[in-house]
Amino acid sequence: MCRTSCQGYSEPNSGSDLASLSTRAVLDGDEWVINGQKIWTSSAKSAHWMFCLVRSEPDAPKHHGISFLLLSMKTEGLDVRPLKTMTGESFFNEVFFTDARVPKDQIVGQRGEGWAIANAILKHERDGLGDPDVTLSRLNALTDLMKEETVNGQRIMDNPIYRDRLMALQGEIMALRFNDLRLLSANIKKEQLPLATMIVKLQGTELRHKLEGLAIDVLGEHGILYEDSPHLRNEGTWQNDYMWFLGLIIGGGTNQIQKNIISERGLGMPREPRNK
Ligand SMILES: Cc1cc2nc3c(=O)[nH]c(=O)nc-3n(C[C@H](O)[C@H](O)[C@H](O)COP(=O)(O)OP(=O)(O)OC[C@H]3O[C@@H](n4cnc5c(N)ncnc54)[C@H](O)[C@@H]3O)c2cc1C
């Protein structure tokens, strides 16, 4: 049977500065007692499990006071409230914990090691966002669209301004695709290419958002239709993905934060001042 998990990291006051999270877990006998709130928890309504960051060591420096717990979404004291997004779906949720009790041994790693574990998982999440292969297939679909759509009898593909935008996008997508192949070769040779890895989420999500936006421009007045309009092209996937990828520019750590990571860890530039 398929089991799905959701990621309980973000809180109302802890997003980019995730290490400041305040959901508390206190050990009481053989159980952790959790109180606090998570937000933007994707798929929490349908998930069976949550992997969750909690503050278990309040006196330790903030990055060392966090633990990583696994908990069933059926845990008593856990309340999931869906949030509606601009796509019209309720994919996100708020999750409230009120004296929710979780067995002591459902900790991953040791107490206070949650930050390192969460970062390892986030790295995998970012690698999977903005996949260049999918973006390339969307580029092919956009190329077809530009051959089909016309203005005053002229194919959009024959309009030099739109064609120029398509070519510029194609160049950037091919660069990302070759970066991906470089990463694949490095992986096979067991080499590390940290900088090439770090740019994937930043570039991939922004390019995809730009691509879907170009398709909406190509569609003209049809581009602003949504949901159940009978005149929708391609079931509204261009509009939906345009909004969805705006979300992915934020999810998994915003692209401003990715730029900080690239400049500091990738390029060795000075670190930005941080709160202790
Ligand atoms: C599609 C999507 C799915 C998500 N899924 C999940 C999930 O499943 N689980 C989960 O826990 N969370 C999830 N999130 C939440 C996501 O991780 C946070 O939204 C994100 O980390 C940003 O936090 P925030 O919203 O609190 O924004 P803030 O941290 O409040 O940021 C606001 C703005 O300030 C900028 N900013 C903040 N700090 C800096 C800085 N130091 N330098 C430069 N700019 C800065 C940010 O880039 C942003 O533009 C999801 C979000 C989205 C959009």
Side-chain angles (χ1 to χ4, degrees):
M1 187 185 173
C2 173
R3 296 267 152 198
T4 56
S5 304
C6 60
Q7 183 188 71
Y9 291 179
S10 304
E11 297 183 2
N13 294 315
S14 303
S16 299
D17 183 17
L18 186 60
S20 67
L21 62 89
S22 60
T23 293
R24 281 281 280 128
V26 177
L27 201 55
D28 179 27
D30 282 344
E31 291 174 322
W32 293 101
V33 182
I34 309 175
N35 281 285
Q37 185 198 342
K38 298 291 171 183
I39 194 166
W40 316 126
T41 320
S42 307
S43 310
K45 201 76 194 159
S46 57
H48 301 95
W49 286 83
M50 173 187 278
F51 48 96
C52 182
L53 290 180
V54 291
R55 186 152 304 280
S56 58
E57 326 298 316
D59 299 328
K62 69 178 184 179
H63 293 86
H64 298 284
I66 297 170
S67 293
F68 192 104
L69 299 183
L70 301 178
L71 52 102
S72 163
M73 293 305 283
K74 293 204 172 117
T75 305
E76 216 170 299
L78 204 145
D79 182 20
V80 180
R81 299 185 199 163
L83 294 165
K84 197 166 180 177
T85 67
M86 65 177 160
T87 61
E89 296 151 319
S90 295
F91 171 74
F92 284 138
N93 302 270
E94 294 177 291
V95 183
F96 295 86
F97 299 87
T98 310
D99 291 331
R101 289 183 166 265
V102 173
K104 179 183 163 184
D105 60 2
Q106 283 179 203
I107 188 169
V108 177
Q110 301 297 318
R111 291 178 70 144
E113 285 184 355
W115 184 248
I117 297 167
N119 268 295
I121 294 175
L122 270 174
K123 190 183 155 301
H124 286 292
E125 180 184 350
R126 287 173 190 151
D127 290 353
L129 297 175
D131 180 340
D133 286 332
V134 183
T135 307
L136 201 55
S137 78
R138 286 301 271 172
L139 182 78
N140 293 335
L142 172 61
T143 307
D144 290 343
L145 186 75
M146 286 177 61
K147 289 177 186 163
E148 287 159 17
E149 293 295 322
T150 56
V151 173
N152 296 331
Q154 185 196 35
R155 295 188 321 164
I156 298 277
M157 186 55 99
D158 298 328
N159 176 309
I161 294 173
Y162 278 100
R163 207 182 166 94
D164 190 49
R165 285 176 67 186
L166 181 72
M167 293 295 109
L169 201 54
Q170 185 185 36
E172 288 185 274
I173 292 169
M174 292 314 289
L176 195 63
R177 170 88 179 105
F178 291 128
N179 184 64
D180 208 42
L181 291 174
R182 184 165 57 143
L183 285 172
L184 181 65
S185 306
N187 202 12
I188 291 165
K189 290 189 233 156
K190 302 204 181 324
E191 289 170 6
Q192 299 286 329
L193 292 178
L195 192 53
T197 309
M198 287 174 200
I199 65 167
V200 173
K201 193 260 171 181
L202 172 71
Q203 279 289 95
T205 53
E206 291 195 353
L207 271 179
R208 184 71 188 277
H209 186 241
K210 213 198 283 190
L211 186 155
E212 306 294 332
L214 175 54
I216 289 173
D217 289 349
V218 165
L219 288 170
E221 68 273 26
H222 289 106
I224 57 170
L225 301 175
Y226 196 54
E227 292 189 323
D228 50 5
S229 167
H231 304 292
L232 268 186
R233 301 286 161 86
N234 306 110
E235 290 93 38
T237 56
W238 301 110
Q239 292 89 332
N240 188 77
D241 286 7
Y242 179 73
M243 290 186 271
W244 175 239
F245 270 84
L246 183 59
L248 290 193
I249 286 173
I250 300 167
T254 70
N255 281 2
Q256 284 91 350
I257 295 297
Q258 301 314 305
K259 286 178 187 167
N260 285 350
I261 294 172
I262 291 166
S263 59
E264 293 173 12
R265 294 185 215 160
L267 300 171
M269 291 169 75
R271 292 178 73 84
E272 69 164 334
R274 286 183 210 278
N275 294 330
K276 294 282 172 221

